[in-house]
Amino acid sequence: MEKQPYVCGLDAAVDVIDGKWKVLIIWALNHQRCRFGELKRLVPGVSEKVLTQQLRELEADGIVHRESYDVVPPKVEYSLTGLGEELNTALRPLGAWGKRRMATPAETGRG
C-alpha cells in the first residue's frame, strides 16, 4: 500500500517514531554507541524480534547507524546519525512534559 502525503511536520515525525519502542531506543542511544545486548538491557520489556525490527526501521529512516566489525565473534554497534541526534533533541521537551505529567495527578473534567 502506498503512503499518503504527510499532512504536516508532526505527521512526518510520528511516522518515524511510531510505536512504543522507537523513542526508547533513540533515548538509549543518546550520545553512546551500543551493542544489541546493551540496547536490550536499556529498553526493558522489548523482545529480540521487535528490537531487531525497530532497529532496521530506524536505520532505513536514517535515524540509526549500524556498524558491523569484521571480527570473531561478530561485533555490531548501533548509534544515532546526525538526523537521529536532531530527533532526540526534538523529543527532549516532550520527555520533560511527560515527567511533569507523571508528577501531577490527572486532571478531571475533560471537555
Side-chain angles (χ1 to χ4, degrees), residues 97-110:
W97 179 87
K99 278 185 181 179
R100 289 191 305 275
R101 175 80 170 99
M102 289 169 28
T104 59
E107 292 184 26
T108 57
R110 296 181 192 162

Side-chain angles (χ1 to χ4, degrees), residues 15-101:
D15 186 42
V16 173
I17 60 171
D18 188 32
K20 177 179 181 177
W21 303 109
K22 287 183 181 177
V23 292
L24 298 176
I25 294 166
I26 293 166
W27 172 82
L29 289 172
N30 184 35
H31 304 299
Q32 65 181 352
R33 300 170 80 76
C34 288
R35 295 180 71 174
F36 187 86
E38 292 172 291
L39 273 175
K40 180 106 173 58
R41 283 188 295 280
L42 290 170
V43 184
V46 68
S47 70
E48 287 188 17
K49 178 184 174 185
V50 170
L51 181 57
T52 298
Q53 175 189 352
Q54 301 289 275
L55 284 166
R56 285 182 182 152
E57 290 176 15
L58 287 167
E59 186 180 4
D61 285 331
I63 303 300
V64 167
H65 173 72
R66 180 182 188 272
E67 183 77 31
S68 183
Y69 298 92
D70 191 21
V71 294
V72 177
K75 178 181 176 182
V76 175
E77 289 182 331
Y78 297 91
S79 60
L80 292 179
T81 63
L83 193 59
E85 291 281 349
E86 208 177 318
L87 177 56
N88 205 20
T89 298
L91 289 170
R92 282 191 190 109
L94 184 60
W97 179 87
K99 278 185 181 179
R100 289 191 305 275
R101 175 80 170 99

